[in-house]
Protein backbone atom coordinates (compact mmCIF):
# COMPACT_ATOMS: atom_id res chain seq x y z
CA UNK A 1 0.00 0.00 0.00
CA UNK A 2 1.27 3.45 -0.93
CA UNK A 3 1.90 5.79 1.97
CA UNK A 4 1.58 9.51 2.64
CA UNK A 5 4.42 11.09 4.62
CA UNK A 6 4.01 14.29 6.61
CA UNK A 7 7.52 15.74 6.93
CA UNK A 8 8.28 18.77 9.07
CA UNK A 9 11.43 20.81 8.50
CA UNK A 10 11.84 19.23 5.07
CA UNK A 11 13.69 22.28 3.68
CA UNK A 12 16.57 21.86 6.14
CA UNK A 13 19.62 19.63 5.88
CA UNK A 14 18.41 16.17 6.94
CA UNK A 15 14.77 16.84 6.04
CA UNK A 16 15.58 17.71 2.42
CA UNK A 17 17.83 14.66 2.09
CA UNK A 18 14.95 12.56 3.45
CA UNK A 19 12.49 14.08 0.95
CA UNK A 20 14.90 13.26 -1.92
CA UNK A 21 15.21 9.75 -0.52
CA UNK A 22 11.41 9.30 -0.40
CA UNK A 23 10.74 10.80 -3.81
CA UNK A 24 12.86 8.07 -5.41
CA UNK A 25 10.45 5.41 -4.10
CA UNK A 26 7.39 4.23 -5.97
CA UNK A 27 5.61 3.15 -2.82
CA UNK A 28 5.48 6.73 -1.58
CA UNK A 29 2.08 8.18 -2.50
CA UNK A 30 2.70 11.73 -1.33
CA UNK A 31 5.18 13.83 0.62
CA UNK A 32 3.75 16.81 2.49
CA UNK A 33 6.44 19.17 3.77
CA UNK A 34 5.60 21.77 6.43
CA UNK A 35 8.47 24.20 6.91
CA UNK A 36 8.67 27.66 8.45
CA UNK A 37 11.65 28.60 6.26
CA UNK A 38 13.84 29.95 9.03
CA UNK A 39 17.41 30.94 8.09
CA UNK A 40 18.12 27.15 7.92
CA UNK A 41 15.26 26.28 5.58
CA UNK A 42 15.97 26.51 1.87
CA UNK A 43 13.25 25.57 -0.65
CA UNK A 44 15.96 25.52 -3.35
CA UNK A 45 17.02 22.17 -1.87
CA UNK A 46 13.81 20.67 -3.29
CA UNK A 47 13.07 22.88 -6.28
CA UNK A 48 13.14 19.93 -8.68
CA UNK A 49 9.77 18.82 -7.22
CA UNK A 50 7.98 22.15 -7.76
CA UNK A 51 5.75 20.60 -10.41
CA UNK A 52 5.65 17.08 -9.02
CA UNK A 53 2.10 15.99 -8.08
CA UNK A 54 3.45 13.79 -5.27
CA UNK A 55 5.18 16.69 -3.45
CA UNK A 56 3.25 19.32 -1.48
CA UNK A 57 5.08 22.18 0.23
CA UNK A 58 3.31 24.15 2.94
CA UNK A 59 5.00 27.23 4.34
CA UNK A 60 4.14 27.33 8.03
CA UNK A 61 5.08 26.78 11.64
CA UNK A 62 4.77 23.45 13.50
CA UNK A 63 3.62 25.50 16.51
CA UNK A 64 0.56 26.63 14.51
CA UNK A 65 -2.22 24.26 15.57
CA UNK A 66 -4.55 25.40 12.78
CA UNK A 67 -2.12 24.60 9.95
CA UNK A 68 -1.12 21.29 11.52
CA UNK A 69 -4.79 20.28 11.92
CA UNK A 70 -5.53 21.29 8.33
CA UNK A 71 -2.72 19.05 7.08
CA UNK A 72 -4.08 16.08 9.03
CA UNK A 73 -7.62 16.79 7.72
CA UNK A 74 -6.63 17.27 4.12
CA UNK A 75 -3.86 14.71 3.60
CA UNK A 76 -4.58 12.06 6.26
CA UNK A 77 -0.89 11.16 6.60
CA UNK A 78 0.16 7.60 7.43
CA UNK A 79 3.53 8.68 8.82
CA UNK A 80 4.77 11.89 10.42
CA UNK A 81 8.52 12.50 10.68
CA UNK A 82 9.33 15.53 12.83
CA UNK A 83 12.65 17.01 11.70
CA UNK A 84 11.65 20.64 12.34
CA UNK A 85 13.83 22.20 14.99
CA UNK A 86 16.24 24.93 15.81
CA UNK A 87 19.35 22.80 15.50
CA UNK A 88 22.54 24.78 16.11
CA UNK A 89 24.07 24.50 19.59
CA UNK A 90 25.94 27.83 19.38
CA UNK A 91 22.74 29.69 18.54
CA UNK A 92 20.97 28.02 21.47
CA UNK A 93 23.67 29.33 23.78
CA UNK A 94 23.21 32.85 22.42
CA UNK A 95 19.38 32.86 22.23
CA UNK A 96 17.55 29.84 23.68
CA UNK A 97 13.95 31.08 23.27
CA UNK A 98 13.36 29.83 19.73
CA UNK A 99 14.66 26.40 20.74
CA UNK A 100 12.17 26.04 23.57
CA UNK A 101 9.35 27.21 21.33
CA UNK A 102 9.98 25.13 18.21
CA UNK A 103 11.71 22.08 19.62
CA UNK A 104 9.34 21.55 22.55
CA UNK A 105 6.08 23.43 21.88
CA UNK A 106 6.24 22.52 18.18
CA UNK A 107 6.58 18.83 19.01
CA UNK A 108 3.68 19.17 21.46
CA UNK A 109 1.47 20.71 18.75
CA UNK A 110 2.22 17.85 16.35
CA UNK A 111 1.68 15.20 19.04
CA UNK A 112 -1.69 16.70 20.00
CA UNK A 113 -2.84 16.64 16.36
CA UNK A 114 -1.60 13.05 15.99
CA UNK A 115 -3.52 12.06 19.13
CA UNK A 116 -6.71 13.58 17.78
CA UNK A 117 -6.50 12.39 14.16
CA UNK A 118 -4.55 9.12 14.49
CA UNK A 119 -1.78 7.82 12.20
CA UNK A 120 0.40 4.74 11.76
CA UNK A 121 3.73 6.11 13.01
CA UNK A 122 4.97 9.34 14.60
CA UNK A 123 8.76 9.55 14.34
CA UNK A 124 10.36 12.07 16.66
CA UNK A 125 13.86 12.89 15.38
CA UNK A 126 15.88 13.29 18.56
CA UNK A 127 19.68 13.39 18.89
CA UNK A 128 22.66 11.76 20.58
CA UNK A 129 23.16 15.07 22.41
CA UNK A 130 20.28 14.30 24.81
CA UNK A 131 22.54 11.84 26.69
CA UNK A 132 25.18 14.50 27.32
CA UNK A 133 28.91 13.88 27.18
CA UNK A 134 30.65 10.54 27.81
CA UNK A 135 34.38 10.10 28.53
CA UNK A 136 34.60 6.40 27.65
CA UNK A 137 32.14 3.73 26.52
CA UNK A 138 28.93 4.40 24.62
CA UNK A 139 25.37 5.35 25.54
CA UNK A 140 22.56 2.82 25.30
CA UNK A 141 18.92 3.78 24.78
CA UNK A 142 18.16 3.02 28.44
CA UNK A 143 20.80 5.39 29.84
CA UNK A 144 19.63 8.51 31.66
CA UNK A 145 19.40 11.77 29.70
CA UNK A 146 21.81 14.51 30.84
CA UNK A 147 21.58 17.27 28.21
CA UNK A 148 24.02 20.10 28.88
CA UNK A 149 23.05 22.98 26.58
CA UNK A 150 19.71 24.66 25.75
CA UNK A 151 19.52 22.92 22.35
CA UNK A 152 20.00 19.43 23.72
CA UNK A 153 17.76 20.16 26.72
CA UNK A 154 14.93 21.27 24.43
CA UNK A 155 15.46 18.15 22.29
CA UNK A 156 15.37 15.99 25.43
CA UNK A 157 12.09 17.68 26.41
CA UNK A 158 10.55 16.82 23.03
CA UNK A 159 12.00 13.30 23.15
CA UNK A 160 10.34 12.52 26.49
CA UNK A 161 7.13 14.38 25.62
CA UNK A 162 6.81 12.19 22.52
CA UNK A 163 7.32 9.10 24.68
CA UNK A 164 4.64 10.31 27.10
CA UNK A 165 2.13 10.47 24.22
CA UNK A 166 2.82 6.80 23.57
CA UNK A 167 2.68 5.79 27.23
CA UNK A 168 -0.41 7.86 28.02
CA UNK A 169 -2.45 8.06 24.82
CA UNK A 170 -0.99 5.18 22.74
CA UNK A 171 0.09 7.49 19.94
CA UNK A 172 2.39 5.17 17.89
CA UNK A 173 5.57 7.12 18.60
CA UNK A 174 9.12 5.99 17.78
CA UNK A 175 12.09 8.10 18.85
CA UNK A 176 15.43 8.11 17.00
CA UNK A 177 18.67 9.49 18.41
CA UNK A 178 21.23 10.00 15.67
CA UNK A 179 24.83 11.11 15.84
CA UNK A 180 26.37 14.03 13.89
CA UNK A 181 25.25 13.95 10.25
CA UNK A 182 27.30 15.08 7.27
CA UNK A 183 26.50 15.33 3.57
CA UNK A 184 24.97 17.71 0.99
CA UNK A 185 22.70 20.66 1.90
CA UNK A 186 24.02 21.24 5.44
CA UNK A 187 23.86 24.89 6.44
CA UNK A 188 27.39 26.36 6.49
CA UNK A 189 27.33 27.14 10.20
CA UNK A 190 27.99 23.51 11.22
CA UNK A 191 31.54 22.20 11.48
CA UNK A 192 32.01 20.39 8.17
CA UNK A 193 30.31 22.78 5.69
CA UNK A 194 31.69 25.81 7.55
CA UNK A 195 35.24 24.52 7.41
CA UNK A 196 35.02 23.31 3.81
CA UNK A 197 33.63 26.62 2.56
CA UNK A 198 36.00 28.73 4.69
CA UNK A 199 38.96 26.73 3.39
CA UNK A 200 37.77 27.21 -0.18
CA UNK A 201 37.79 30.95 0.50
CA UNK A 202 41.19 30.79 2.25
CA UNK A 203 39.51 32.00 5.46
CA UNK A 204 40.52 30.75 8.94
CA UNK A 205 38.90 27.60 10.36
CA UNK A 206 37.80 28.42 13.95
CA UNK A 207 38.49 25.31 16.01
CA UNK A 208 36.98 25.52 19.49
CA UNK A 209 39.13 24.86 22.56
CA UNK A 210 41.87 22.27 21.99
CA UNK A 211 40.12 20.76 18.95
CA UNK A 212 40.03 17.34 20.63
CA UNK A 213 36.27 17.05 21.20
CA UNK A 214 34.96 13.85 19.65
CA UNK A 215 31.88 13.41 17.45
CA UNK A 216 30.57 10.26 15.73
CA UNK A 217 29.90 11.03 12.04
CA UNK A 218 26.92 9.53 10.20
CA UNK A 219 26.43 10.04 6.45
CA UNK A 220 23.03 11.66 5.96
CA UNK A 221 21.81 9.04 3.47
CA UNK A 222 22.54 6.29 6.02
CA UNK A 223 20.44 8.29 8.49
CA UNK A 224 17.58 8.51 5.96
CA UNK A 225 17.70 4.74 5.41
CA UNK A 226 17.67 4.18 9.15
CA UNK A 227 14.58 6.35 9.63
CA UNK A 228 12.63 4.42 7.02
CA UNK A 229 13.94 1.16 8.45
CA UNK A 230 12.66 2.15 11.89
CA UNK A 231 9.26 3.10 10.45
CA UNK A 232 8.98 -0.37 8.92
CA UNK A 233 10.75 -2.57 11.48
CA UNK A 234 10.82 -0.59 14.74
CA UNK A 235 8.46 -1.12 17.67
CA UNK A 236 6.22 1.67 18.90
CA UNK A 237 7.20 3.30 22.18
CA UNK A 238 10.87 2.43 21.55
CA UNK A 239 13.99 4.56 21.19
CA UNK A 240 16.67 3.72 18.59
CA UNK A 241 20.23 5.03 18.55
CA UNK A 242 21.57 5.65 15.03
CA UNK A 243 25.34 6.07 14.91
CA UNK A 244 27.82 6.23 12.07
CA UNK A 245 30.56 4.33 13.90
CA UNK A 246 33.12 7.01 12.93
CA UNK A 247 34.37 8.73 16.06
CA UNK A 248 36.85 11.48 15.28
CA UNK A 249 38.36 14.48 17.02
CA UNK A 250 37.42 17.80 15.44
CA UNK A 251 41.05 18.48 14.60
CA UNK A 252 41.20 15.21 12.65
CA UNK A 253 38.17 16.16 10.56
CA UNK A 254 39.71 19.58 10.01
CA UNK A 255 42.96 18.07 8.71
CA UNK A 256 41.03 15.72 6.40
CA UNK A 257 39.18 18.70 4.91
CA UNK A 258 42.36 20.73 4.40
CA UNK A 259 44.19 17.78 2.89
CA UNK A 260 41.40 16.97 0.42
CA UNK A 261 41.17 20.60 -0.67
CA UNK A 262 44.96 20.98 -0.88
CA UNK A 263 44.92 23.84 1.65
CA UNK A 264 47.55 24.54 4.36
CA UNK A 265 47.15 23.71 8.08
CA UNK A 266 48.01 27.35 8.80
CA UNK A 267 44.31 28.08 8.13
CA UNK A 268 43.47 26.43 11.48
CA UNK A 269 42.73 29.05 14.14
CA UNK A 270 42.21 27.90 17.74
CA UNK A 271 39.47 30.09 19.29
CA UNK A 272 37.64 30.33 22.63
CA UNK A 273 35.83 27.13 23.52
CA UNK A 274 32.03 26.75 23.19
CA UNK A 275 30.39 27.26 26.60
CA UNK A 276 29.67 23.88 28.22
CA UNK A 277 31.22 22.16 25.18
CA UNK A 278 30.38 18.43 25.34
CA UNK A 279 33.65 16.49 25.11
CA UNK A 280 32.54 13.31 23.43
CA UNK A 281 29.39 11.73 22.03
CA UNK A 282 29.22 7.99 21.49
CA UNK A 283 26.30 5.68 20.78
CA UNK A 284 25.86 1.96 21.28
CA UNK A 285 23.77 0.90 18.24
CA UNK A 286 23.32 -2.80 19.01
CA UNK A 287 19.56 -2.44 19.27
CA UNK A 288 19.22 -1.24 15.66
CA UNK A 289 22.00 -3.54 14.42
CA UNK A 290 20.11 -6.53 15.82
CA UNK A 291 17.03 -5.51 13.81
CA UNK A 292 19.23 -5.53 10.68
CA UNK A 293 20.32 -1.91 10.03
CA UNK A 294 23.92 -0.89 9.46
CA UNK A 295 25.43 2.17 7.77
CA UNK A 296 26.63 1.37 4.24
CA UNK A 297 28.74 4.46 3.53
CA UNK A 298 32.43 4.32 4.35
CA UNK A 299 33.58 7.53 6.04
CA UNK A 300 36.84 7.93 4.09
CA UNK A 301 34.93 8.02 0.78
CA UNK A 302 31.74 9.78 1.96
CA UNK A 303 33.65 12.71 3.49
CA UNK A 304 35.48 13.23 0.18
CA UNK A 305 32.17 13.08 -1.72
CA UNK A 306 30.72 15.60 0.74
CA UNK A 307 33.64 18.01 0.35
CA UNK A 308 33.38 17.66 -3.43
CA UNK A 309 29.65 18.42 -3.27
CA UNK A 310 30.34 21.79 -1.60
CA UNK A 311 33.17 22.39 -4.07
CA UNK A 312 30.74 21.81 -6.95
CA UNK A 313 27.81 23.76 -5.43
CA UNK A 314 29.20 27.19 -4.69
CA UNK A 315 25.95 28.66 -6.03
CA UNK A 316 24.15 26.86 -3.16
CA UNK A 317 26.29 27.98 -0.22
CA UNK A 318 27.70 31.36 -1.23
CA UNK A 319 24.43 33.29 -0.71
CA UNK A 320 24.04 31.65 2.72
CA UNK A 321 27.42 32.90 3.94
CA UNK A 322 26.56 36.55 3.58
CA UNK A 323 24.25 38.70 5.67
CA UNK A 324 22.56 37.30 8.72
CA UNK A 325 24.88 34.40 9.37
CA UNK A 326 28.04 36.46 9.13
CA UNK A 327 26.62 39.09 11.49
CA UNK A 328 25.82 36.41 14.04
CA UNK A 329 29.22 34.87 13.67
CA UNK A 330 31.06 38.15 14.15
CA UNK A 331 29.26 38.94 17.41
CA UNK A 332 29.80 35.50 18.90
CA UNK A 333 33.38 34.76 17.95
CA UNK A 334 35.28 37.97 18.44
CA UNK A 335 38.52 36.06 18.90
CA UNK A 336 38.47 35.12 15.23
CA UNK A 337 40.54 37.55 13.20
P1 LIG B 1 18.34 22.26 10.03
O1 LIG B 1 18.55 23.39 10.97
O2 LIG B 1 19.22 22.14 8.83
O3 LIG B 1 16.84 22.30 9.48
C1 LIG B 1 15.75 22.58 10.30
C2 LIG B 1 14.53 22.83 9.41
O4 LIG B 1 13.39 23.05 10.26
C3 LIG B 1 14.65 24.07 8.52
O5 LIG B 1 14.18 23.79 7.23
C4 LIG B 1 13.76 25.10 9.22
O6 LIG B 1 13.21 26.07 8.34
C5 LIG B 1 12.69 24.21 9.82
N1 LIG B 1 12.01 24.80 10.98
C6 LIG B 1 12.59 25.40 12.05
N2 LIG B 1 11.65 25.83 12.90
C7 LIG B 1 10.45 25.46 12.37
C8 LIG B 1 9.10 25.60 12.79
N3 LIG B 1 8.78 26.22 13.94
N4 LIG B 1 8.13 25.10 12.01
C9 LIG B 1 8.43 24.49 10.82
N5 LIG B 1 9.68 24.34 10.37
C10 LIG B 1 10.68 24.82 11.14
O7 LIG B 1 18.39 20.95 10.91
P2 LIG B 1 18.98 19.50 10.58
O8 LIG B 1 20.43 19.50 10.86
O9 LIG B 1 18.47 19.06 9.26
O10 LIG B 1 18.28 18.64 11.73
C11 LIG B 1 16.99 18.08 11.52
C12 LIG B 1 16.57 17.36 12.77
O11 LIG B 1 17.51 16.33 13.08
C13 LIG B 1 16.50 18.26 14.01
O12 LIG B 1 15.39 17.85 14.77
C14 LIG B 1 17.81 17.94 14.75
O13 LIG B 1 17.65 18.15 16.13
C15 LIG B 1 17.98 16.48 14.42
N6 LIG B 1 19.37 15.98 14.42
C16 LIG B 1 20.33 16.61 13.67
C17 LIG B 1 21.61 16.08 13.61
C18 LIG B 1 22.69 16.74 12.78
O14 LIG B 1 23.84 16.31 12.84
N7 LIG B 1 22.38 17.75 11.97
C19 LIG B 1 21.92 14.93 14.34
C20 LIG B 1 20.92 14.32 15.11
C21 LIG B 1 19.66 14.85 15.12
O1 LIG C 1 33.16 26.67 14.14
C1 LIG C 1 33.11 25.59 14.77
N1 LIG C 1 34.25 25.14 15.40
C2 LIG C 1 34.28 23.98 16.12
O2 LIG C 1 35.32 23.62 16.67
C3 LIG C 1 31.91 24.81 14.87
C4 LIG C 1 30.64 25.26 14.20
C5 LIG C 1 31.95 23.64 15.61
N2 LIG C 1 33.08 23.26 16.23
C6 LIG C 1 33.07 22.00 17.03
C7 LIG C 1 31.97 21.92 18.06
C8 LIG C 1 31.67 20.43 18.09
O3 LIG C 1 32.57 19.78 18.97
O4 LIG C 1 32.79 20.94 16.10
C9 LIG C 1 31.93 19.96 16.67
C10 LIG C 1 30.68 19.86 15.80
O5 LIG C 1 29.97 21.07 15.96
P1 LIG C 1 28.57 21.33 15.22
O6 LIG C 1 28.74 21.09 13.76
O7 LIG C 1 28.04 22.64 15.69
O8 LIG C 1 27.70 20.10 15.76
P2 LIG C 1 27.32 19.64 17.25
O9 LIG C 1 27.40 20.74 18.21
O10 LIG C 1 28.13 18.40 17.54
O11 LIG C 1 25.77 19.25 17.02
C11 LIG C 1 25.35 18.54 15.84
O12 LIG C 1 25.17 17.17 16.12
C12 LIG C 1 24.06 16.82 16.90
C13 LIG C 1 24.10 19.15 15.25
O13 LIG C 1 24.29 20.53 14.99
C14 LIG C 1 22.92 18.92 16.14
O14 LIG C 1 21.74 19.42 15.52
C15 LIG C 1 22.77 17.44 16.38
O15 LIG C 1 21.73 17.17 17.26
Amino acid sequence: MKKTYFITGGCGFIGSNFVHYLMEQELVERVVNLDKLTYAGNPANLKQYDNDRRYHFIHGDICDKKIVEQIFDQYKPDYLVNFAAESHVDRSIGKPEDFIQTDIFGAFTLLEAARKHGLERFIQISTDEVYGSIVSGSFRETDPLMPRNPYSASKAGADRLAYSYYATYKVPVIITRASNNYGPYQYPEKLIPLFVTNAMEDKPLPLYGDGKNVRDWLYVEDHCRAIQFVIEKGAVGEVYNIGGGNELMNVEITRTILEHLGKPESLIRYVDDRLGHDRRYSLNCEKLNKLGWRPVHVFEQAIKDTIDWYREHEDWWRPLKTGEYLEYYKTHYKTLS
Side-chain angles (χ1 to χ4, degrees):
M1 249 261 288
K2 290 194 171 188
K3 300 292 184 183
T4 293
Y5 285 74
F6 177 4
I7 306 298
T8 69
C11 295
F13 164 45
I14 306 174
S16 60
N17 277 282
F18 192 64
V19 172
H20 285 298
Y21 179 76
L22 291 179
M23 292 298 285
E24 281 166 14
Q25 299 176 31
E26 283 185 8
L27 280 178
V28 174
E29 171 86 38
R30 188 172 288 141
V31 177
V32 183
N33 173 18
L34 173 64
D35 197 300
K36 186 180 172 182
L37 299 181
T38 66
Y39 76 95
N42 187 349
N45 298 356
L46 300 169
K47 64 174 180 300
Q48 71 200 79
Y49 308 119
D50 279 352
N51 298 316
D52 193 314
R53 279 187 310 109
R54 292 194 305 151
Y55 176 71
H56 295 238
F57 173 64
I58 293 147
H59 182 200
D61 191 331
I62 58 165
C63 301
D64 184 338
K65 183 178 166 191
K66 205 166 144 222
I67 291 187
V68 171
E69 292 266 349
Q70 270 172 7
I71 292 173
F72 270 95
D73 276 337
Q74 188 175 338
Y75 295 101
K76 302 187 175 33
D78 300 292
Y79 306 139
L80 188 158
V81 187
N82 181 25
F83 293 101
E86 287 294 335
S87 69
H88 191 38
V89 172
D90 293 325
R91 287 179 188 259
S92 86
I93 293 166
K95 189 171 177 283
E97 289 93 323
D98 294 347
F99 289 74
I100 311 306
Q101 179 67 12
T102 286
D103 299 12
I104 302 179
F105 190 77
F108 161 72
T109 309
L110 297 169
L111 287 161
E112 271 294 295
R115 169 161 92 98
K116 186 169 156 196
H117 293 264
L119 81 181
E120 282 182 40
R121 288 290 179 275
F122 184 115
I123 310 298
Q124 173 61 21
I125 303 294
S126 188
T127 167
D128 60 356
E129 294 206 17
V130 296
Y131 295 112
S133 192
I134 189 164
V135 178
S136 59
S138 302
F139 286 118
R140 288 179 180 275
E141 289 83 350
T142 45
D143 282 328
L145 305 189
M146 289 289 279
R148 289 167 25 87
N149 60 60
Y151 161 70
S152 51
S154 68
K155 291 295 293 183
D159 178 315
R160 291 300 81 198
L161 190 66
Y163 178 74
S164 81
Y165 270 64
Y166 163 73
T168 310
Y169 306 115
K170 297 288 169 258
V171 175
V173 167
I174 295 179
I175 295 141
T176 61
R177 297 181 186 147
S179 61
N180 283 58
N181 282 220
Y182 66 104
Y185 301 113
Q186 187 167 29
Y187 195 83
E189 64 182 351
K190 307 282 166 64
L191 180 77
I192 290 178
L194 177 69
F195 282 17
V196 172
T197 57
N198 274 15
M200 284 175 64
E201 296 181 294
D202 294 309
K203 287 183 180 161
L205 312 190
L207 207 44
Y208 300 161
D210 63 3
K212 291 185 180 162
N213 298 63
V214 172
R215 297 292 183 267
D216 170 23
W217 294 95
L218 169 69
Y219 191 60
V220 65
E221 194 191 63
D222 279 328
H223 188 188
C224 294
R225 278 181 40 252
I227 294 166
Q228 199 177 38
F229 182 84
V230 157
I231 290 173
E232 286 165 6
K233 301 265 168 58
V236 294
E238 293 294 319
V239 177
Y240 296 94
N241 287 345
I242 309 172
N246 299 295
E247 286 186 33
L248 289 165
M249 289 191 288
N250 295 333
V251 66
E252 294 175 304
I253 291 266
T254 307
R255 290 200 182 110
T256 304
I257 292 170
L258 290 171
E259 194 181 316
H260 190 64
L261 289 172
K263 297 287 182 175
E265 289 208 6
S266 56
L267 284 178
I268 297 177
R269 197 69 44 89
Y270 286 90
V271 299
D272 289 352
D273 208 355
R274 173 183 279 175
L275 296 180
H277 195 175
D278 287 335
R279 192 63 171 167
R280 175 172 172 262
Y281 299 140
S282 183
L283 293 175
N284 177 314
C285 298
E286 268 173 28
K287 188 170 171 183
L288 200 55
N289 294 161
K290 275 188 189 150
L291 276 187
W293 178 88
R294 264 179 192 72
V296 297
H297 287 274
V298 177
F299 179 80
E300 287 69 20
Q301 185 56 48
I303 187 67
K304 286 181 188 158
D305 294 345
T306 300
I307 297 168
D308 290 342
W309 189 87
Y310 290 96
R311 192 148 54 176
E312 287 154 17
H313 290 82
E314 286 195 37
D315 57 329
W316 183 84
W317 58 262
R318 277 207 184 274
L320 304 178
K321 287 195 79 171
T322 55
E324 189 252 3
Y325 169 60
L326 268 187
E327 278 314 306
Y328 171 84
Y329 192 64
K330 276 183 208 149
T331 39
H332 283 75
Y333 293 98
K334 295 196 183 77
T335 46
L336 181 67
S337 53

